[in-house]
Amino acid sequence: MSEDWKTKYGTRRVRRDPPTLDEAIFAAIGITDDQEAQAEIAASLMGLPIEDVQAEVKKANRVTAGRSTTRVIAGEQGAQRSVVVERRIVRKFGNDKRTGT
């Protein structure tokens, strides 16, 4: 998709590409841990019904559960760089052993 508009310097064009479903789900997983919210975010980014996205979100969460994810992103002029996203698991305990509460 592209959009044209006229400026005093001539016609300008901006290319706008919607994200792929994998990219939208990856972004949603980085925002929240709730699968329902991830499906809503990915569906809104893609402009798809939430029912179509929920199954893919569940698959993605099963695959990425408990490990880091590496994505290769193409930058300007085709140069590639790797981005590693690591999730740290926070464990919450019911009582504090130091204070006895």
Side-chain angles (χ1 to χ4, degrees):
M1 293 187 286
S2 65
E3 183 178 318
D4 295 344
W5 71 93
K6 294 185 180 190
T7 67
K8 65 181 182 179
Y9 301 108
T11 304
R12 300 291 183 232
R13 179 180 295 174
V14 173
R15 181 176 168 180
R16 296 175 196 237
D17 292 329
T20 65
L21 186 57
D22 287 338
E23 291 170 340
I25 292 171
F26 179 73
I29 289 172
I31 293 172
T32 182
D33 292 330
D34 181 30
Q35 286 187 2
E36 188 68 29
Q38 291 170 359
E40 289 178 23
I41 292 168
S44 66
L45 287 172
M46 294 294 300
L48 294 173
I50 192 168
E51 296 81 23
D52 296 345
V53 179
Q54 284 177 335
E56 294 298 322
V57 168
K58 288 180 183 177
K59 286 180 193 174
N61 277 319
R62 229 177 317 154
V63 170
T64 61
R67 62 180 187 181
S68 62
T69 304
T70 302
R71 295 279 180 160
V72 177
I73 300 172
E76 294 181 16
Q77 299 174 356
Q80 291 185 347
R81 58 184 180 156
S82 295
V83 177
V84 178
V85 178
E86 295 183 15
R87 296 190 143 250
R88 202 174 101 190
I89 299 172
V90 178
R91 295 186 178 137
K92 297 180 181 177
F93 296 103
N95 57 7
D96 189 359
K97 293 180 181 178
R98 290 176 286 162
T99 59
T101 58

